[in-house]
Amino acid sequence: MVEIRHTIKSEMGLHARPALEIVKESSNFKSSIYIKVKEKTVSCKDVMELMELILRGGDNLIITFEG
């Protein structure tokens, strides 16, 4: 398992277009890829789950790769 810590730099946060790009890219891998913000963890392969996070500029997150 690999973890990467990241801070959202865009003032707009994570909106639909970049969320779709994340899903598109992560779907190319067999690995499970997750984003964790505070106590909520979601799959990077599901755009609806990503949008539910409501990520804003300055939010800290952990990206986890398994497999």
Side-chain angles (χ1 to χ4, degrees):
M1 178 170 69
V2 176
E3 288 186 354
I4 297 174
R5 296 180 185 277
H6 183 74
T7 301
I8 302 292
K9 295 179 180 130
S10 170
E11 292 178 11
M12 295 177 66
L14 183 71
H15 51 88
R17 189 167 288 153
L20 285 170
E21 284 297 316
I22 291 170
V23 170
K24 179 181 170 184
E25 290 300 319
S26 61
S27 294
N28 290 326
F29 298 94
K30 292 181 182 178
S31 302
S32 298
I33 306 170
Y34 301 99
I35 290 181
K36 180 179 180 180
V37 178
K38 298 175 185 155
E39 297 302 317
K40 187 160 186 166
T41 303
V42 300
S43 171
C44 286
K45 296 182 181 184
D46 187 328
V47 72
M48 294 308 291
E49 287 185 14
L50 281 176
M51 295 303 296
E52 286 176 9
L53 288 176
I54 309 173
L55 294 172
R56 300 170 198 251
D59 283 350
N60 296 309
L61 52 96
I62 299 171
I63 305 167
T64 305
F65 304 86
E66 297 177 359

